[in-house]
Amino acid sequence: MTRKAPFEEVDILVAGGGVAGLAATALFATERFRTICVDASPPPPTDARQQGADLRTTAFLQPSIETLKRAGAWAGVAEQAADLRIMRLIDAGGPEPVARETADFDSSEVQNAPFGANAPNTAIRQALMNRIAELTSAELRAPAGVTRLTARDDGVIVALADGAMVRAKLVIGADGRDSAIRRMSGVEAKRWGYGQKGLVFAVRHPRPHQGVSTEIHRTGGPFTLVPMPDDGDGPRSSVVWMTPGPRALRLMELDETAFAEEATAASLGVLGPLTLASRRAVWPIISQIAERLDAPRVALIAEAAHVVPPIGAQGLNMSLKDIDTLATLCVEARAKGDDIGAPALLARYHRARWPDTAAHVAGIDALNRAAMAENQSLRDLRRAGLKTIHDVK
């Protein structure tokens, strides 16, 4: 009789089955690390029809696209993505809701490719899950959350909610802003709010977006229109509308027609009258940063490491930079015969990512506070800053 091994042996265990966790799993497995991804919840449906026509999207900047190509997943996303060719900032902070300053940043002026591309979250998840399914060195297991981890000199023992015990060389915490992996590792995080909520939805509009992502600043937070591909029924954009919490809740109570009228007014009518093309969702807006990105046998990535308001498409793009940096360090270590979970390697990861992460969190915090400004003098100062950026670009 063959005795069952006490542990499943893997190189890397990724905790968290969101987009960042799936991307990490695909990339590390593509780099020939035996990788298992576990999540406490069952995988959500990837068909938008099963999600109540959820057309929320994510904008990927070019470095993130390169990371997804490295993971072998971008081809499945690209066919459903819309190019982002121009980033347009509009200041409408005067007494009347009209544009006072407009700054266009054209990708053709700095590179031979668009700034990036915007794709439905359903397409992103499906492409990553398809890639993981075709990789013999990858496995996705859910529901199977982490209940305990014990770091040792030669590896980390992970207990899962389904009763399995896994021994890995490295655990990657990609389990969100309330990360259990971060808590189990004894890493603290600083969190603060703004009294804002973000409304997320998709719209149709009569005017084509022409690959222009438009961010409109008045008060309370930006209203951002991001291009989506035309599905044959006319132009579409996804919207992130950041506004004070009480107003967000009032807007969510409106019927679709009244809500679309409010959204059109907030958009200054730049694409014509807007009509809803998806359900609406609302999220609290916070910032957060972990005090460290490493712990014994643990690396923190994505929202387990940092959370920022949805300004400038930074959130998931920062996360993919985490993943790419960590993967590169692990590949280099393996080539030298070094331990991919060694303290020295994880300390290098922290040093490589934390200063840039802290700078991004602080910068986006400042931009959000400026976007929220109600005081007319502060709004005028924001306008002057926007004009300066436009004049020197």
Side-chain angles (χ1 to χ4, degrees):
M1 180 176 178
T2 302
R3 185 178 180 181
K4 185 178 179 181
F7 303 115
E8 297 180 46
E9 300 278 354
V10 300
D11 294 317
I12 294 167
L13 183 140
V14 178
V19 171
L22 294 176
T25 303
L27 179 51
F28 278 90
T30 297
E31 294 289 0
R32 305 188 317 281
F33 292 100
R34 176 75 180 95
T35 308
I36 181 173
C37 178
V38 301
D39 194 271
S41 302
T46 53
D47 187 332
R49 291 170 296 181
Q50 298 178 45
Q51 297 191 35
D54 181 2
L55 296 182
R56 289 177 296 161
T57 64
T58 296
F60 295 97
L61 303 180
Q62 282 298 336
S64 293
I65 291 174
E66 292 304 312
T67 298
L68 290 174
K69 287 179 179 178
R70 180 181 175 187
W74 179 249
V77 180
E79 59 192 19
Q80 299 187 57
D83 286 344
L84 305 177
R85 299 188 177 279
I86 294 176
M87 302 293 191
R88 178 169 293 159
L89 302 179
I90 297 176
D91 181 272
E96 300 298 325
V98 296
R100 303 192 299 172
E101 299 289 344
T102 299
D104 279 0
F105 302 91
D106 193 327
S107 61
S108 66
E109 297 178 1
V110 294
Q111 58 193 34
N112 294 323
F115 284 120
N118 191 48
N121 289 356
T122 50
I124 299 159
R125 288 191 59 89
Q126 188 63 63
L128 288 167
M129 292 179 72
N130 288 347
R131 177 58 176 161
I132 290 169
E134 68 187 24
L135 289 164
T136 58
S137 54
E139 179 187 352
L140 173 61
R141 189 179 300 176
V146 174
T147 60
R148 186 177 72 257
L149 57 85
T150 306
R152 297 177 175 174
D153 289 343
D154 60 347
V156 55
I157 306 301
V158 183
L160 303 181
D162 64 0
M165 299 289 287
V166 179
R167 180 160 57 196
K169 297 174 183 176
L170 173 64
V171 168
I172 298 176
D175 51 342
R177 58 187 64 184
D178 297 317
S179 170
I181 297 299
R182 188 182 65 232
R183 174 176 49 78
M184 291 177 191
S185 301
V187 178
E188 299 292 334
K190 180 183 178 182
R191 176 184 296 190
W192 61 97
Y194 304 91
Q196 287 174 302
K197 294 187 183 295
L199 299 167
V200 184
F201 52 98
V203 294
R204 295 190 186 277
H205 39 80
R207 299 174 192 159
H209 51 63
Q210 298 180 317
V212 179
S213 177
T214 304
E215 191 171 286
I216 300 165
H217 293 263
R218 184 160 169 75
T219 62
F223 182 99
T224 306
L225 291 150
V226 189
M228 292 178 65
D230 190 329
D231 63 354
D233 291 328
R236 301 180 301 165
S237 293
S238 61
V239 177
V240 179
W241 186 0
M242 294 166 58
T243 193
R247 186 187 182 206
L249 297 178
R250 289 195 297 271
L251 288 166
M252 286 292 288
E253 292 174 353
L254 297 177
D255 62 34
E256 289 193 4
T257 299
F259 182 85
E261 290 174 354
E262 292 284 348
T264 299
S267 75
L268 307 182
V270 294
L271 295 176
L274 305 179
T275 56
L276 273 172
S278 76
R279 66 179 179 88
R280 293 166 276 176
V282 61
W283 303 96
I285 302 299
I286 67 164
S287 285
Q288 178 173 289
I289 185 167
E291 64 178 9
R292 291 195 62 84
L293 306 185
D294 64 325
R297 295 280 166 185
V298 170
L300 300 176
I301 68 168
E303 288 202 341
H306 47 73
V307 181
V308 294
I311 295 176
Q314 291 302 301
L316 187 57
N317 288 278
M318 291 170 63
S319 303
L320 289 167
K321 180 65 175 176
D322 297 339
I323 295 165
D324 195 84
T325 300
L326 182 60
T328 297
L329 289 171
C330 288
V331 169
E332 292 173 350
R334 181 179 58 190
K336 297 175 183 177
D338 293 340
D339 181 355
I340 63 170
L345 182 146
L346 295 175
R348 285 198 296 274
Y349 167 66
H350 170 78
R351 290 195 300 270
R353 289 297 299 139
W354 200 88
D356 182 66
T357 295
H360 272 77
V361 171
I364 295 167
D365 173 77
L367 286 172
N368 189 39
R369 292 182 188 281
M372 293 170 63
E374 298 284 348
N375 182 281
Q376 188 64 53
S377 62
L378 292 177
R379 288 154 69 178
D380 290 342
L381 184 61
R382 183 183 66 204
R383 176 198 186 194
L386 181 57
K387 185 175 188 302
T388 298
I389 293 172
H390 179 256
D391 290 344
V392 301
K393 74 184 176 78

